[in-house]
Amino acid sequence: MEKAAVKSYQPNRWQELKKDLMRNKSLYIMLIPVVAYYFIFHYIPMYGLQIAFKDFTPAKGIWGSPWVGLEKFKEFFVYDSFYVWRIIRNTILINVYDLIFGFPAPIIFALLLNEIKNSIYKRTLQTVSYMPHFISTVVIVGMIMDFFSRDGLINQILKSLGILSEPISFMTEPGWFRPLYVGSGIWQNLGWGSIVYLAAISNIDPQLYEAALIDGAGRFRQALYVTIPGILPTIVIMFLLRVGHMMNVGFEKVFLMYNPLTYETADVISTYVYRKGLLEMDYSYGAAVGLFNSVINFLLVIFSNKIAKKLTETSLW
Amino acid sequence: MKIRKSPGEIIFDTFNYIFLGLLCFTMLYPMLYVIFASFSNPIKLMAYRGPLWRPLEFSTEAYKLLLSYPMIWIGYKNTLIYVVVGTAINILLTTIGGYVLSRKNLKLKNPIMFFIAFTMYFSGGMIPTYLLVQSLGMIDTIWAMMIPGAISTTNLIIMRTGFHAVPDSLEESARIDGAGDWTILFRIMIPLAMPMIAVMILFYAVGHWNAFFSAIIYLRSRELYPLQLVLREILIMSSTENMTTGISDASDRFAVTELIKYAAIVVSTVPILCIYPFLQKYFVKGVMIGAIKE
């Protein structure tokens, strides 16, 4: 009985699809440029990734270049192992520090801002805090380099306060790269990142606060037992998105901020791909390192989503 | 009935008001410092130590030098082209894509959605993309600045969510009146979704205004440089020789170089910071729609 139903279902499905294509012809025609864009600029590069397994030379093209198997990966992991571990470590550490310090900052800011009852003051704080988000990365890095130079404002202030006797060369000391990177990121995105959480807070049912108040909860307890659980799904989603970008984040800023003196702590996978692949034009090698990066990133998304599904009801798909 | 605050709450509130005030001050002050410094006398500023609260001996010397540098104008002009043409392409494709993918009766909607969303999780990466752009002959053309990033998937999904919110009955009544999909899109959907499209225009335009990396990779000729690349030369590579050739004394030249940097930051950032408070509510709306997942 059931088998028969499935059998007769198959041809119907094709007919339905054909009917759908005819009925919605103009919609599908509209979509052609969009699908073409994704095909050309996203799927062709995925296809092009095969050069990671080839010895690609532009003269021979992707098709004509000979296969070399895992040779390029071997070159990367075995011969250049010094760089490999450095760039992997740096990529992960920058992201982990950013997750530890940068991720909670907008949440805390949103919670504190929510406690401000004077609406004019609140709005002013919000407007100012969003501002740095609109400054371009080039300008941000230019400002960092200026303020943190040897005779820059930060050194001047620290010196006049008696904290420092000798100025620090923030930009050329590898130990300062990560604090500067993560710190300036917080400075730039604290306010902007809080928007989502403020929206989530405003969506919490006011009755919950009333009930908590009747139960004798003060403001601290209300925040702890109503506000934070109320925005937890948003936090989880934002965390997942952040983890999913873990291997890609910050390329532009790292690229502008680092210099050979700070490569030790600053060089990340993507900047290495850029130098090797595009500057030294070792395309296959660059593509192999890039593929390694993409695969890890992909696994991270899948993995974090699985965990989130287990922990809470929310997930990305 | 007003509930009286406990002493703990009063302490917390006081602390909170002051703390957040200080925090926002640290966000505002670096920008104020740059503005004050840019209008200062270069020699005075060199000798000065510590925070500035107003320009030191008001002077517009740095702006004169900066604006007499042709690359600044070339950069401005190119950035304007990339912002206007690039955003137009972005909006056209994102609107059409968002509209079609928001239609409920399409059989192929889910496979196409997967086809698009998958690119958010996996990509070919920098090198294959570069080789593609190269083989398309886009290297060192203005198209490399606009076509490879023609659609942002996040924005497409935001747009789709927005079109979903338009009531079905509007579309149905238009169909009864004989409207086709194009008419529905341009006569009904786009006017209704205008606030959202405005948000998208802002997002894309700011992105183009601030973009520099595609320019580093794809552009060779200086005549095509966007403003951000010119700024990179001035701010990060400190190449301002072309602007300071008239100054013979080395230390004067250094002082002026520093000042030109401040002026460059002001010239490139203040326009966007000035219009931003007026656009703030649209941006905020965009972020919030973007955060809502179906």
Side-chain angles (χ1 to χ4, degrees):
Chain A
M1 180 71 203
E2 231 181 271
K3 236 179 185 173
V6 170
K7 236 180 187 172
S8 65
Y9 180 61
Q10 286 296 350
N12 257 343
R13 207 170 151 178
W14 282 111
Q15 263 164 12
E16 265 178 44
L17 189 63
K18 225 161 111 187
K19 226 166 77 188
D20 177 58
L21 281 174
M22 287 312 292
R23 195 179 43 218
N24 294 308
K25 203 163 66 188
S26 51
L27 284 178
Y28 284 115
I29 289 172
M30 280 182 190
L31 207 55
I32 288 173
V34 176
V35 171
Y37 164 77
Y38 277 96
F39 180 76
I40 296 171
F41 288 98
H42 291 273
Y43 285 90
I44 291 182
M46 284 184 211
Y47 168 80
L49 265 176
Q50 60 175 283
I51 67 169
F53 306 98
K54 286 186 162 183
D55 190 14
F56 174 75
T57 43
K60 289 183 194 148
I62 294 180
W63 272 111
S65 300
W67 291 97
V68 292
L70 295 176
E71 197 52 45
K72 295 289 163 185
F73 292 90
K74 209 168 120 193
E75 202 181 308
F76 174 49
F77 281 106
V78 179
Y79 307 132
D80 292 342
S81 61
F82 171 75
Y83 294 104
V84 181
W85 295 118
R86 193 169 80 176
I87 58 176
I88 293 175
R89 188 196 65 205
N90 288 345
T91 308
I92 291 173
L93 278 182
I94 286 175
N95 277 287
V96 166
Y97 287 139
D98 196 43
L99 278 178
I100 295 174
F101 299 104
F103 183 76
I107 303 173
I108 297 166
F109 183 69
L111 289 173
L112 290 179
L113 203 61
N114 186 45
E115 298 298 329
I116 301 265
K117 300 300 170 203
N118 181 327
S119 66
I120 297 172
Y121 189 54
K122 190 173 171 179
R123 228 174 305 143
T124 312
L125 289 176
Q126 275 177 283
T127 304
V128 172
S129 70
Y130 301 161
M131 237 176 219
H133 178 80
F134 293 94
I135 304 178
S136 75
T137 316
V138 175
V139 169
I140 290 280
V141 175
M143 283 167 74
I144 296 172
M145 287 170 76
D146 185 72
F147 287 130
F148 286 89
S149 68
R150 271 185 79 84
D151 49 4
L153 188 62
I154 301 295
N155 269 318
Q156 288 171 19
I157 292 174
L158 291 177
K159 232 169 145 182
S160 67
L161 291 175
I163 298 170
L164 282 183
S165 49
E166 267 302 295
I168 300 174
S169 319
F170 290 99
M171 299 311 295
T172 52
E173 271 178 35
W176 279 103
F177 185 83
R178 287 176 200 135
L180 276 183
Y181 181 90
V182 173
S184 60
I186 295 176
W187 181 82
Q188 198 181 4
N189 291 316
L190 179 76
W192 191 252
S194 70
I195 293 174
V196 172
Y197 302 110
L198 286 168
I201 291 173
S202 69
N203 279 335
I204 297 174
D205 187 353
Q207 287 186 3
L208 291 174
Y209 287 104
E210 283 161 26
L213 198 62
I214 290 166
D215 288 346
R219 270 165 68 195
F220 178 70
R221 278 167 184 275
Q222 285 176 33
L224 198 63
Y225 294 115
V226 180
T227 314
I228 293 178
I231 62 173
L232 200 60
T234 311
I235 294 177
V236 171
I237 289 276
M238 297 312 282
F239 188 79
L240 285 173
L241 288 172
R242 180 63 192 77
V243 171
H245 284 238
M246 189 141 164
M247 303 304 276
N248 301 332
V249 161
F251 174 42
E252 295 200 344
K253 209 168 116 194
V254 173
F255 172 78
L256 289 168
M257 255 177 94
Y258 79 166
N259 56 57
L261 291 172
T262 51
Y263 277 179
E264 184 189 329
T265 52
D267 199 14
V268 292
I269 298 177
S270 45
T271 49
Y272 187 69
V273 171
Y274 172 76
R275 284 206 314 280
K276 282 288 179 178
L278 289 187
L279 292 187
E280 296 175 23
M281 295 203 277
D282 195 345
Y283 295 119
S284 283
Y285 184 87
V289 182
L291 176 59
F292 167 73
N293 194 39
S294 297
V295 168
I296 304 251
N297 206 40
F298 187 68
L299 293 177
L300 273 175
V301 182
I302 308 275
F303 183 67
S304 58
N305 198 52
K306 276 249 161 66
I307 292 182
K309 241 180 201 166
K310 270 206 177 122
L311 290 179
T312 65
E313 300 290 289
T314 34
S315 73
L316 288 177
W317 62 76
Chain B
M1 183 187 83
K2 197 159 166 67
I3 299 162
R4 229 175 345 143
K5 286 181 178 177
S6 69
E9 277 184 63
I10 294 171
I11 293 171
F12 169 77
D13 274 334
T14 317
F15 165 80
N16 195 24
Y17 272 67
I18 295 173
F19 175 73
L20 290 185
L22 284 175
L23 193 71
C24 288
F25 178 74
T26 63
M27 296 183 167
L28 198 60
Y29 185 73
M31 296 177 247
L32 290 178
Y33 180 91
V34 169
I35 294 173
F36 295 151
S38 72
F39 283 108
S40 294
N41 175 311
I43 312 295
K44 283 269 157 59
L45 188 71
M46 268 279 275
Y48 184 79
R49 292 276 166 273
L52 283 173
W53 302 106
R54 61 190 150 75
L56 283 175
E57 252 182 46
F58 187 85
S59 141
T60 53
E61 197 54 34
Y63 290 93
K64 279 182 198 146
L65 287 166
L66 180 76
L67 297 179
S68 67
Y69 179 48
M71 275 314 285
I72 281 287
W73 296 103
I74 293 175
Y76 248 114
K77 186 198 77 188
N78 288 331
T79 291
L80 278 178
I81 295 174
Y82 301 148
V83 166
V84 172
V85 182
T87 306
I89 296 173
N90 292 145
I91 291 298
L92 185 71
L93 290 178
T94 311
T95 309
I96 291 178
Y99 168 66
V100 175
L101 292 169
S102 72
R103 299 301 86 199
K104 290 157 197 85
N105 52 357
L106 288 190
K107 284 265 174 327
L108 286 178
K109 192 182 72 180
N110 287 335
I112 294 173
M113 246 351 261
F114 180 81
F115 173 79
I116 289 172
F118 182 73
T119 62
M120 294 172 90
Y121 302 109
F122 193 82
S123 75
M126 192 191 300
I127 308 294
T129 308
Y130 174 83
L131 292 173
L132 169 74
V133 173
Q134 194 179 42
S135 66
L136 290 174
M138 285 185 182
I139 299 289
D140 209 23
T141 68
I142 64 169
W143 304 112
M145 297 296 292
M146 302 182 282
I147 304 293
I151 303 177
S152 136
T153 307
T154 322
N155 288 350
L156 181 72
I157 291 173
I158 295 178
M159 203 79 129
R160 188 179 77 125
T161 313
F163 283 124
H164 258 310
V166 177
D168 290 341
S169 52
L170 277 171
E171 191 191 334
E172 280 158 23
S173 61
R175 279 205 196 281
I176 290 166
D177 291 344
D181 286 303
W182 291 98
T183 320
I184 290 172
L185 174 59
F186 283 99
R187 289 287 174 77
I188 296 177
M189 293 297 173
I190 291 182
L192 280 173
M194 215 46 221
M196 162 120 46
I197 293 173
V199 171
M200 291 295 113
I201 291 175
L202 292 175
F203 276 170
Y204 279 124
V206 170
H208 283 293
W209 179 274
N210 288 341
F212 76 95
F213 197 73
S214 43
I216 286 180
I217 296 184
Y218 300 129
L219 297 184
R220 306 275 180 272
S221 359
R222 290 172 65 80
E223 302 82 66
L224 296 178
Y225 273 17
L227 185 61
Q228 299 297 333
L229 262 202
V230 181
L231 282 176
R232 174 173 174 254
E233 290 184 344
I234 297 173
L235 295 177
I236 292 165
M237 291 139 81
S238 288
S239 51
T240 47
E241 297 84 19
N242 302 318
M243 286 174 255
T244 53
T245 39
I247 304 162
S248 50
D249 186 78
S251 76
D252 282 6
R253 199 154 55 217
F254 180 73
V256 170
T257 299
E258 285 302 296
L259 224 61
I260 288 175
K261 290 187 184 179
Y262 294 127
I265 293 176
V266 173
V267 165
S268 65
T269 309
V270 161
I272 212 163
L273 287 187
C274 284
I275 54 167
Y276 137 76
F278 302 101
L279 306 175
Q280 185 185 341
K281 64 170 185 217
Y282 297 107
F283 275 121
V284 169
K285 210 165 128 197
V287 173
M288 288 182 340
I289 307 166
I292 299 163
K293 280 264 173 181
E294 288 171 64

